[in-house]
Amino acid sequence: MSVESGVPVPGTEASTGESTAEVTLTFDQAAVDLDALQRSAYALAAELTADIRVRGGDYVCTLFRRRQDLTDDELKHRFRAEVNDQVLRARIARETEPLRNLVFALAFSRTGLSEAGETA
Amino acid sequence: MIKLERTATLLSPHSWQLLPLRFHRLDADSVVLTSMVGEHEFVTPDELDAVVDGTCTDQELLARLRAVHLIQLPGERLPAELLAIKLRTRMRRLPDSTGLHIFVVTLRCEHTCRYCQVSRQPTAKNEFDMTEQTARQALELAFMSPSPHIKIEFQGGEPLLNFPLIRWITTEAKRMNKEHGKDLAFVIATNLALLDEEILDFCAAEDIYLSTSLDGPADLHNGNRRRPGQNSWDQAVAGIRLAQERLGMHKVSALVTTTAASLNRAAEIVDLYAELGLRGVFLRPISPYGFALRRRGGADYEVSQWLEFYEAGLDRVEELCSQGVPMMEIYASIIAKKMLSNTDPGYVDLTSPAGIGIGALVYNYDGDVYASDEGRMLAEMSDRTFRLGNVHDSSYADIMLSDSLLDPLMESVTLSAPMCSTCAFEPYCGADPVFHHTTAGNFLGHKALSAFCQRNMGVFTLLLRKMRDDPYFLDLMRQWAQ
Amino acid sequence: MFKLTGRADATGLAGPLPDKVWRIRLPGEPGTMGADHASSSLACLISEDQTPPAGYGLYLMTGSAPAASEIPGPVLGLGPELAHLAAGDIIHVHGDGRRINVLWKNSARHNALLLTEQCDNYCLMCSQPPKDRDDSWLFDRARRVISLLPDDAQALSFTGGEPTLNADAFIDLLEHCQKVAPRLSLHLLSNGRRFADPQFTRRYADVGLGDIMVGIPVYAPEPGLHDFIVQAAGAFDDTVHGILNLASLGQAIEIRVVIQRHTIPVLARLAAFITRNLPFVAQVALMGLEMTGLARPNSAQVWADPADYQSELVEAVRILTMAGIPTRIYNHQLCVLERRLWPYAVRSISDWKNDYLDVCQECSVRDACGGVFTTSGNRLSQHLHAMPSPAPAPFPARI
């Protein structure tokens, strides 16, 4: 479920697995929401910070490592994997939101079913 | 004659819909899925994708997911109804605030524990004792709680230094309770060094529980707890044995506080508890407050180190169980209830909404009311964020409806917190606005940077892996969930 | 074991004998002999050398009937299979006196009244295969049995088919029980589907019976497998809704699980489902297969040797009991049950269809064991054996 092109920022070295100061990933806007990228940056805040910009039809994410033991490749894998998962979560949330609301509505309503099951 | 073919009851591709589901990748090839009410199933990463995409053809997997209400057929109502019932059941204790009332009867203490979070006063200074007037006002407030169960916990300093007040509060509470008819329980959190016949007689007569600290073998325990005479461990063990004999084994419990020195001695600590007949061992990490923060000997280890310690302790508990010594790790048992039942274990430090105020209230010796024990300790470091009022001039409504209580409750609730709201372990976890206020400067914190989150995620994933791979441990967790 | 049906020699009858339900008394039993309805349904069981007292509506003798002139009323000769009849037993005499069904055996541990053979499920292992014909007379017959029950009658089961299909007749019968036998401990076997209708459940609860439990089978934790086993689409949905409705009105529920080839792989998950979703049930009964009815032609689909599923059974029992749900194991022989499950085993096979094998004669725990279903014929576990004496030391009940 890979959604990015891994194009290095022009003017810097291509990733050789060594730890350079920053790393860039590009995502197609049609495939990934900004929300997913922001959530990913938030979730990985212990390992990196991210600068997210729009360029044409893409989001360009520049990653800055916080832990010196992470290689460029590892940094990219971490971010890509997290983005994939955030996209998956967003999809599941979208599909299940009506049923989630229904469950809450049933749980907090005063229908007869509310008495069943509470003796435990 | 078959009227309904098995094939007619199977699920063809794209025929099911997802129910609210959250996931966590445990290992490279294992994902745990959880429902809104914390029921779980283990799948592979490919299986997760296939279930979400609608392409899964593994009927046994699909049946498993239907059974725990992670998928359903369009038009079904029963899964949503059952989820709703279970959700209500899990939340049904919420209106029953406040169950735990902590009375800090004195700040005097004769120990100097390295990690103590209380600002101690030398034993002679009585102006740091709670008075009867203050205690009475506090009891009035406590009995205004809707909860049918009230547990009164005596703390300090060393609460036995003000035993007359403990006696007074117990008697007065029982007298007041004749009108309220609540289920009352009493516990004294004490180092047991001051136990004497009078105190034991009283505890036996009034059905009072004793809770103490026992950090491990003598050198470990004494290293943490400085006492004139350096005999804290001997006193604690003697006190435990005496109390067990006089009050009964089940009336005495102990807590472990972990310091850097404890980290590679988990099995010894568990063995000591087993030797003393203490069935429940509560392996807790140290919190960052009070003296612990001020002294380097406090929280001077990483969460990852504590997790290794915890795992070693848990393994040792499991080993003892398999040898016929029935031990239980209490943190795991609290989480077991959340994972394997819809029963709220009532543990104020791991619940959402947070346990501050609505789970527990703290009445300090001077009548100040705090939302939690840790909130009181913060006040001793001049941070009064969690001070809710004073028993002498605040009403119940002043305290329970104050912004000081409602703001942290609302801002920290996990169902709406970033990362928590999509976390697979949200049904097992809790909100800790005091911890995050202390470490991150706001009630919510940033979970990616939170030791609270890191610790709990570590415990949840450890327990789930063990339940997945070790049938004996799964059976233990089922027992502990009872 | 004993026979519940038999033939009678009606040659001694002077005229036609109406289709009727009778309670058996012995000569010399104390009690009123007036002309009221109850005593007109009394039949006197006499032996050859006894002088039959006058005033009974029917006389029964084992062996061939004596000459009509010697007996002061209609007389039937009982075949040898009915020699077990005794005082307090209740029988249905029909076919102009030639056929007798035993409906209530006073000395038996369990008594059950069949209310209908109709059913809206069609379980693969059904021991009472459904028949689609009007048998509402069974409700009338049941009413009469209940009217004739002795005062000290303790317990009665209602079975089918599906007893709730005829809602009005069913509720009427319950109301009759409440009126004439309010202290009876009642056990209703039902697939629970009718209770998905909240109004029907309300009618059931409103009868106000003090001691009635409904035993409802649930065979899987999800609709796919359950519906297949009961051979009815939508059954799981109805049944669980029914259970929830009953629970919301405070009614006692037992969940029954027949252990067969299809249910074994999901037994533990079903136990977990019950603890998470239906924790309010009064008890769970895990039941051994009775190889009769539809279980015979479906034998290949359903048969499983108990010796082969002990680990699944242990896990299910542990899950249920650790969650505080009372659990019973029915219809299993002790020799094929793991020792630590013995505390949960109940001698549950009805008297009239239980028996022991030759191999059981030497068994040290025979008296504690329920034996086998005679109705299963020779479709039994291949591992039945006598437990050696002395019996193993008792295992602690909490495992």
Side-chain angles (χ1 to χ4, degrees), chain B residues 286-330:
Chain B
I286 196 172
S287 1
Y289 314 97
F291 286 101
L293 266 182
R294 296 217 288 270
R295 296 169 64 101
R296 283 283 297 148
D300 57 354
Y301 52 83
E302 302 290 330
V303 174
S304 55
Q305 292 176 285
W306 181 84
L307 285 167
E308 282 175 21
F309 163 83
Y310 181 77
E311 182 170 1
L314 194 61
D315 284 346
R316 184 63 186 147
V317 168
E318 184 181 0
E319 198 178 335
L320 285 173
C321 288
S322 73
Q323 292 167 3
V325 181
M327 297 290 293
M328 180 169 77
E329 202 286 307
I330 292 176

Short mmCIF file of all heavy atoms in Angstrom, two decimals, chain B residues 286-330:
data_model
loop_
_atom_site.label_atom_id
_atom_site.label_comp_id
_atom_site.label_asym_id
_atom_site.label_seq_id
_atom_site.Cartn_x
_atom_site.Cartn_y
_atom_site.Cartn_z
N ILE B 286 7.73 4.18 39.68
CA ILE B 286 7.72 5.34 40.56
C ILE B 286 7.10 6.51 39.82
O ILE B 286 7.21 6.62 38.62
CB ILE B 286 9.18 5.65 40.99
CG1 ILE B 286 9.22 6.58 42.18
CG2 ILE B 286 9.96 6.23 39.84
CD1 ILE B 286 10.62 6.72 42.71
N SER B 287 6.40 7.35 40.54
CA SER B 287 5.85 8.53 39.87
C SER B 287 6.82 9.69 40.00
O SER B 287 7.70 9.67 40.85
CB SER B 287 4.50 8.92 40.45
OG SER B 287 4.13 8.09 41.49
N PRO B 288 6.66 10.71 39.21
CA PRO B 288 7.69 11.74 39.15
C PRO B 288 7.54 12.86 40.16
O PRO B 288 8.14 13.91 40.00
CB PRO B 288 7.50 12.30 37.74
CG PRO B 288 6.04 12.17 37.49
CD PRO B 288 5.62 10.90 38.21
N TYR B 289 6.77 12.66 41.20
CA TYR B 289 6.43 13.80 42.04
C TYR B 289 7.29 13.94 43.30
O TYR B 289 8.03 13.07 43.66
CB TYR B 289 4.96 13.70 42.48
CG TYR B 289 4.06 13.33 41.36
CD1 TYR B 289 3.66 12.03 41.16
CD2 TYR B 289 3.61 14.30 40.46
CE1 TYR B 289 2.83 11.69 40.11
CE2 TYR B 289 2.79 13.96 39.42
CZ TYR B 289 2.40 12.66 39.25
OH TYR B 289 1.59 12.33 38.22
N GLY B 290 7.08 15.00 43.95
CA GLY B 290 7.58 15.21 45.30
C GLY B 290 9.07 14.99 45.46
O GLY B 290 9.90 15.40 44.65
N PHE B 291 9.42 14.33 46.49
CA PHE B 291 10.83 14.09 46.78
C PHE B 291 11.50 13.33 45.66
O PHE B 291 12.69 13.46 45.44
CB PHE B 291 10.97 13.30 48.09
CG PHE B 291 10.70 14.15 49.29
CD1 PHE B 291 9.49 14.08 49.95
CD2 PHE B 291 11.65 15.04 49.74
CE1 PHE B 291 9.23 14.87 51.05
CE2 PHE B 291 11.40 15.84 50.84
CZ PHE B 291 10.19 15.75 51.49
N ALA B 292 10.71 12.52 44.98
CA ALA B 292 11.30 11.75 43.90
C ALA B 292 11.87 12.66 42.83
O ALA B 292 12.91 12.37 42.26
CB ALA B 292 10.24 10.83 43.30
N LEU B 293 11.17 13.75 42.56
CA LEU B 293 11.68 14.67 41.55
C LEU B 293 12.89 15.43 42.07
O LEU B 293 13.83 15.70 41.34
CB LEU B 293 10.60 15.68 41.15
CG LEU B 293 9.74 15.35 39.93
CD1 LEU B 293 8.77 16.49 39.67
CD2 LEU B 293 10.59 15.09 38.72
N ARG B 294 12.79 15.77 43.33
CA ARG B 294 13.84 16.63 43.88
C ARG B 294 15.15 15.87 44.04
O ARG B 294 16.21 16.45 43.97
CB ARG B 294 13.41 17.19 45.24
CG ARG B 294 12.18 18.11 45.14
CD ARG B 294 12.30 19.26 46.12
NE ARG B 294 12.12 18.84 47.49
CZ ARG B 294 10.94 18.82 48.10
NH1 ARG B 294 9.85 19.15 47.45
NH2 ARG B 294 10.86 18.46 49.35
N ARG B 295 15.05 14.58 44.26
CA ARG B 295 16.27 13.84 44.48
C ARG B 295 16.57 12.97 43.28
O ARG B 295 15.70 12.38 42.70
CB ARG B 295 16.12 12.96 45.72
CG ARG B 295 15.91 13.76 47.00
CD ARG B 295 15.50 12.81 48.11
NE ARG B 295 16.58 11.87 48.41
CZ ARG B 295 17.39 12.00 49.43
NH1 ARG B 295 17.28 13.00 50.27
NH2 ARG B 295 18.34 11.11 49.63
N ARG B 296 17.80 12.84 42.95
CA ARG B 296 18.17 12.06 41.78
C ARG B 296 17.80 10.60 41.93
O ARG B 296 17.64 9.88 40.97
CB ARG B 296 19.69 12.18 41.55
CG ARG B 296 20.08 13.50 40.93
CD ARG B 296 19.76 13.51 39.45
NE ARG B 296 20.52 12.51 38.74
CZ ARG B 296 20.09 11.87 37.68
NH1 ARG B 296 18.89 12.11 37.20
NH2 ARG B 296 20.85 10.97 37.08
N GLY B 297 17.70 10.19 43.20
CA GLY B 297 17.38 8.78 43.41
C GLY B 297 15.94 8.44 43.08
O GLY B 297 15.50 7.33 43.26
N GLY B 298 15.21 9.40 42.61
CA GLY B 298 13.81 9.16 42.28
C GLY B 298 13.65 8.46 40.95
O GLY B 298 14.09 7.34 40.75
N ALA B 299 13.01 9.18 40.02
CA ALA B 299 12.72 8.53 38.75
C ALA B 299 13.95 8.49 37.88
O ALA B 299 14.05 9.17 36.87
CB ALA B 299 11.58 9.26 38.04
N ASP B 300 14.93 7.69 38.26
CA ASP B 300 16.18 7.72 37.53
C ASP B 300 16.36 6.47 36.67
O ASP B 300 17.43 5.89 36.60
CB ASP B 300 17.38 7.88 38.48
CG ASP B 300 17.41 6.78 39.53
OD1 ASP B 300 16.45 5.98 39.58
OD2 ASP B 300 18.38 6.73 40.29
N TYR B 301 15.27 6.02 36.07
CA TYR B 301 15.42 4.95 35.09
C TYR B 301 14.44 5.16 33.95
O TYR B 301 13.46 5.88 34.07
CB TYR B 301 15.22 3.57 35.73
CG TYR B 301 13.94 3.41 36.53
CD1 TYR B 301 12.74 3.11 35.90
CD2 TYR B 301 13.94 3.56 37.90
CE1 TYR B 301 11.56 2.96 36.62
CE2 TYR B 301 12.78 3.41 38.64
CZ TYR B 301 11.59 3.11 37.99
OH TYR B 301 10.44 2.97 38.71
N GLU B 302 14.73 4.54 32.85
CA GLU B 302 13.90 4.66 31.67
C GLU B 302 12.69 3.74 31.77
O GLU B 302 12.75 2.71 32.44
CB GLU B 302 14.69 4.26 30.41
CG GLU B 302 15.95 5.05 30.18
CD GLU B 302 15.64 6.48 29.78
OE1 GLU B 302 14.58 6.68 29.15
OE2 GLU B 302 16.44 7.37 30.10
N VAL B 303 11.65 4.11 31.04
CA VAL B 303 10.46 3.26 30.98
C VAL B 303 10.83 1.87 30.46
O VAL B 303 10.35 0.86 30.96
CB VAL B 303 9.39 3.89 30.09
CG1 VAL B 303 8.22 2.94 29.90
CG2 VAL B 303 8.88 5.20 30.70
N SER B 304 11.73 1.84 29.49
CA SER B 304 12.08 0.54 28.91
C SER B 304 12.72 -0.37 29.95
O SER B 304 12.51 -1.57 29.96
CB SER B 304 13.00 0.72 27.71
OG SER B 304 14.14 1.47 28.09
N GLN B 305 13.50 0.22 30.83
CA GLN B 305 14.11 -0.59 31.89
C GLN B 305 13.03 -1.10 32.85
O GLN B 305 13.06 -2.25 33.29
CB GLN B 305 15.12 0.25 32.68
CG GLN B 305 16.35 0.64 31.88
CD GLN B 305 17.24 1.56 32.72
OE1 GLN B 305 16.93 2.73 32.91
NE2 GLN B 305 18.31 1.01 33.23
N TRP B 306 12.09 -0.23 33.17
CA TRP B 306 11.01 -0.68 34.06
C TRP B 306 10.21 -1.80 33.41
O TRP B 306 9.81 -2.76 34.07
CB TRP B 306 10.09 0.47 34.44
CG TRP B 306 9.00 0.00 35.36
CD1 TRP B 306 9.09 -0.13 36.71
CD2 TRP B 306 7.70 -0.46 34.99
NE1 TRP B 306 7.91 -0.64 37.21
CE2 TRP B 306 7.05 -0.86 36.18
CE3 TRP B 306 7.04 -0.58 33.77
CZ2 TRP B 306 5.75 -1.36 36.18
CZ3 TRP B 306 5.74 -1.09 33.78
CH2 TRP B 306 5.11 -1.47 34.97
N LEU B 307 10.00 -1.70 32.11
CA LEU B 307 9.23 -2.74 31.42
C LEU B 307 9.94 -4.08 31.49
O LEU B 307 9.31 -5.12 31.63
CB LEU B 307 8.94 -2.33 29.98
CG LEU B 307 7.85 -1.27 29.84
CD1 LEU B 307 7.85 -0.68 28.43
CD2 LEU B 307 6.48 -1.85 30.16
N GLU B 308 11.26 -4.06 31.38
CA GLU B 308 12.01 -5.32 31.52
C GLU B 308 11.84 -5.88 32.93
O GLU B 308 11.65 -7.09 33.12
CB GLU B 308 13.49 -5.08 31.25
CG GLU B 308 13.81 -4.98 29.77
CD GLU B 308 15.28 -4.63 29.53
OE1 GLU B 308 16.10 -4.86 30.45
OE2 GLU B 308 15.58 -4.13 28.44
N PHE B 309 11.91 -4.98 33.88
CA PHE B 309 11.70 -5.38 35.28
C PHE B 309 10.31 -5.99 35.44
O PHE B 309 10.14 -7.06 36.03
CB PHE B 309 11.88 -4.15 36.18
CG PHE B 309 11.33 -4.29 37.57
CD1 PHE B 309 12.06 -4.91 38.56
CD2 PHE B 309 10.06 -3.80 37.88
CE1 PHE B 309 11.55 -5.05 39.85
CE2 PHE B 309 9.54 -3.93 39.17
CZ PHE B 309 10.29 -4.55 40.15
N TYR B 310 9.33 -5.32 34.89
CA TYR B 310 7.95 -5.79 35.02
C TYR B 310 7.78 -7.17 34.40
O TYR B 310 7.15 -8.07 34.98
CB TYR B 310 6.98 -4.79 34.37
CG TYR B 310 5.54 -5.21 34.50
CD1 TYR B 310 4.86 -5.04 35.70
CD2 TYR B 310 4.87 -5.80 33.43
CE1 TYR B 310 3.54 -5.46 35.84
CE2 TYR B 310 3.55 -6.22 33.56
CZ TYR B 310 2.90 -6.04 34.76
OH TYR B 310 1.60 -6.45 34.89
N GLU B 311 8.35 -7.35 33.22
CA GLU B 311 8.23 -8.63 32.55
C GLU B 311 8.89 -9.74 33.37
O GLU B 311 8.34 -10.84 33.51
CB GLU B 311 8.84 -8.57 31.16
CG GLU B 311 8.68 -9.89 30.41
CD GLU B 311 9.06 -9.78 28.94
OE1 GLU B 311 9.47 -8.68 28.50
OE2 GLU B 311 8.95 -10.81 28.24
N ALA B 312 10.03 -9.44 33.94
CA ALA B 312 10.71 -10.45 34.75
C ALA B 312 9.86 -10.80 35.97
O ALA B 312 9.74 -11.97 36.35
CB ALA B 312 12.08 -9.94 35.19
N GLY B 313 9.25 -9.79 36.58
CA GLY B 313 8.39 -10.04 37.74
C GLY B 313 7.18 -10.87 37.36
O GLY B 313 6.80 -11.81 38.07
N LEU B 314 6.59 -10.54 36.23
CA LEU B 314 5.41 -11.26 35.78
C LEU B 314 5.76 -12.72 35.46
O LEU B 314 5.01 -13.64 35.81
CB LEU B 314 4.87 -10.57 34.53
CG LEU B 314 3.46 -10.94 34.08
CD1 LEU B 314 2.45 -10.61 35.15
CD2 LEU B 314 3.14 -10.20 32.79
N ASP B 315 6.90 -12.92 34.82
CA ASP B 315 7.34 -14.29 34.52
C ASP B 315 7.51 -15.09 35.80
O ASP B 315 7.16 -16.27 35.86
CB ASP B 315 8.66 -14.27 33.73
CG ASP B 315 8.46 -13.88 32.28
OD1 ASP B 315 7.31 -13.88 31.81
OD2 ASP B 315 9.47 -13.57 31.62
N ARG B 316 8.06 -14.43 36.80
CA ARG B 316 8.29 -15.15 38.06
C ARG B 316 6.96 -15.49 38.72
O ARG B 316 6.78 -16.57 39.28
CB ARG B 316 9.16 -14.30 39.00
CG ARG B 316 9.54 -15.00 40.29
CD ARG B 316 10.40 -16.22 40.04
NE ARG B 316 10.64 -16.95 41.27
CZ ARG B 316 10.77 -18.27 41.35
NH1 ARG B 316 10.69 -19.01 40.25
NH2 ARG B 316 11.00 -18.87 42.51
N VAL B 317 5.99 -14.57 38.65
CA VAL B 317 4.66 -14.85 39.18
C VAL B 317 4.05 -16.06 38.46
O VAL B 317 3.50 -16.97 39.08
CB VAL B 317 3.73 -13.63 39.04
CG1 VAL B 317 2.28 -13.99 39.31
CG2 VAL B 317 4.17 -12.53 39.99
N GLU B 318 4.18 -16.08 37.14
CA GLU B 318 3.64 -17.18 36.37
C GLU B 318 4.32 -18.50 36.75
O GLU B 318 3.66 -19.54 36.89
CB GLU B 318 3.83 -16.91 34.87
CG GLU B 318 3.20 -17.98 33.99
CD GLU B 318 3.42 -17.72 32.51
OE1 GLU B 318 4.05 -16.72 32.16
OE2 GLU B 318 2.94 -18.55 31.71
N GLU B 319 5.61 -18.43 36.94
CA GLU B 319 6.35 -19.64 37.29
C GLU B 319 5.87 -20.17 38.64
O GLU B 319 5.65 -21.37 38.79
CB GLU B 319 7.83 -19.30 37.35
CG GLU B 319 8.73 -20.51 37.28
CD GLU B 319 10.20 -20.10 37.29
OE1 GLU B 319 10.51 -18.95 36.88
OE2 GLU B 319 11.02 -20.91 37.72
N LEU B 320 5.70 -19.28 39.60
CA LEU B 320 5.23 -19.72 40.92
C LEU B 320 3.84 -20.33 40.82
O LEU B 320 3.56 -21.35 41.43
CB LEU B 320 5.23 -18.54 41.90
CG LEU B 320 6.60 -18.11 42.41
CD1 LEU B 320 6.49 -16.85 43.24
CD2 LEU B 320 7.25 -19.22 43.22
N CYS B 321 2.97 -19.70 40.03
CA CYS B 321 1.62 -20.26 39.86
C CYS B 321 1.70 -21.68 39.32
O CYS B 321 0.99 -22.58 39.78
CB CYS B 321 0.79 -19.40 38.91
SG CYS B 321 0.29 -17.82 39.61
N SER B 322 2.58 -21.87 38.33
CA SER B 322 2.67 -23.20 37.71
C SER B 322 3.23 -24.22 38.68
O SER B 322 3.08 -25.42 38.48
CB SER B 322 3.52 -23.15 36.45
OG SER B 322 4.87 -22.99 36.78
N GLN B 323 3.89 -23.73 39.74
CA GLN B 323 4.42 -24.66 40.75
C GLN B 323 3.45 -24.83 41.91
O GLN B 323 3.78 -25.41 42.93
CB GLN B 323 5.76 -24.14 41.29
CG GLN B 323 6.86 -24.19 40.24
CD GLN B 323 8.07 -23.40 40.66
OE1 GLN B 323 8.12 -22.84 41.76
NE2 GLN B 323 9.05 -23.32 39.76
N GLY B 324 2.24 -24.28 41.75
CA GLY B 324 1.22 -24.47 42.79
C GLY B 324 1.20 -23.40 43.85
O GLY B 324 0.50 -23.55 44.85
N VAL B 325 1.96 -22.31 43.66
CA VAL B 325 1.92 -21.19 44.60
C VAL B 325 1.05 -20.11 43.97
O VAL B 325 1.48 -19.43 43.04
CB VAL B 325 3.33 -20.63 44.87
CG1 VAL B 325 3.26 -19.49 45.87
CG2 VAL B 325 4.25 -21.73 45.36
N PRO B 326 -0.18 -19.93 44.43
CA PRO B 326 -1.12 -19.05 43.73
C PRO B 326 -0.82 -17.58 43.95
O PRO B 326 -1.29 -16.98 44.89
CB PRO B 326 -2.48 -19.43 44.32
CG PRO B 326 -2.18 -19.97 45.67
CD PRO B 326 -0.80 -20.55 45.63
N MET B 327 -0.02 -16.98 43.08
CA MET B 327 0.29 -15.56 43.15
C MET B 327 -0.50 -14.81 42.09
O MET B 327 -0.99 -15.40 41.13
CB MET B 327 1.79 -15.34 42.90
CG MET B 327 2.70 -15.97 43.90
SD MET B 327 2.61 -15.16 45.50
CE MET B 327 3.33 -13.55 45.12
N MET B 328 -0.57 -13.49 42.26
CA MET B 328 -1.26 -12.68 41.26
C MET B 328 -0.54 -11.35 41.14
O MET B 328 -0.23 -10.73 42.16
CB MET B 328 -2.71 -12.46 41.67
CG MET B 328 -3.51 -11.63 40.70
SD MET B 328 -5.28 -11.64 41.06
CE MET B 328 -5.34 -10.51 42.43
N GLU B 329 -0.27 -10.90 39.95
CA GLU B 329 0.29 -9.57 39.77
C GLU B 329 -0.88 -8.62 39.60
O GLU B 329 -1.73 -8.77 38.72
CB GLU B 329 1.22 -9.52 38.56
CG GLU B 329 2.22 -8.36 38.62
CD GLU B 329 1.58 -7.01 38.35
OE1 GLU B 329 0.90 -6.89 37.31
OE2 GLU B 329 1.73 -6.08 39.18
N ILE B 330 -0.94 -7.60 40.47
CA ILE B 330 -2.16 -6.83 40.58
C ILE B 330 -2.39 -5.90 39.40
O ILE B 330 -3.53 -5.72 38.97
CB ILE B 330 -2.18 -6.09 41.92
CG1 ILE B 330 -2.32 -7.13 43.04
CG2 ILE B 330 -3.32 -5.08 42.00
CD1 ILE B 330 -2.27 -6.60 44.43
#
